[in-house]
Amino acid sequence: MSGIEKVYEFLDTAKTYYLATVEGDQPRVRPFGTVLLYDGRLYIQTGKVKDVSKQLAANPKAEICAFMNGRWLRVTGELVNDDNRDIKAAMLEKMPELKAMYSADDDNTQVLYFSNASATFSSFTEAPETIEF
């Protein structure tokens, strides 16, 4: 299993992670659950009308954190918008509960992938493991 696959598997199994962005000088953190590994890239999904989308447009640097079974994962990097319809459709197929709010063909659905990313697995009992992608 590659490093990015390990990161994806942890996030997918944890179900919920917390996405941190900034708005001016104020940190903003909220729970997310959308995650997709597609063509070797780690994607998340949101709506373009949401504040988080506007925050990422102003400053694409972001961090996510998930906790599961005594371990936590932090992924930091830049989130890059990707308007590829196939990726939007794949995200919605993976997360069918989103189809009530989003469509691969609407002007709201936004998928973003991590670029220049570093993921660190940590726990209180093991040495940290860092993966770059």
Side-chain angles (χ1 to χ4, degrees), residues 46-105:
T46 192
K48 291 179 182 176
V49 299
K50 293 184 176 183
D51 288 344
V52 66
S53 177
K54 294 169 183 63
Q55 292 157 8
L56 289 168
N59 182 350
K61 292 181 180 178
E63 186 166 286
I64 62 177
C65 184
F67 182 83
M68 180 178 63
N69 300 327
R71 297 178 72 212
W72 60 96
L73 169 66
R74 292 174 55 200
V75 181
T76 185
E78 294 181 14
L79 283 168
V80 178
N81 187 61
D82 191 333
D83 282 325
N84 183 319
R85 186 196 182 281
D86 292 342
I87 297 167
K88 293 177 184 181
M91 179 69 80
L92 295 173
E93 284 304 311
K94 181 177 181 293
M95 313 284 298
E97 62 275 16
L98 296 176
K99 289 182 179 182
M101 299 178 289
Y102 298 101
S103 160
D105 297 310

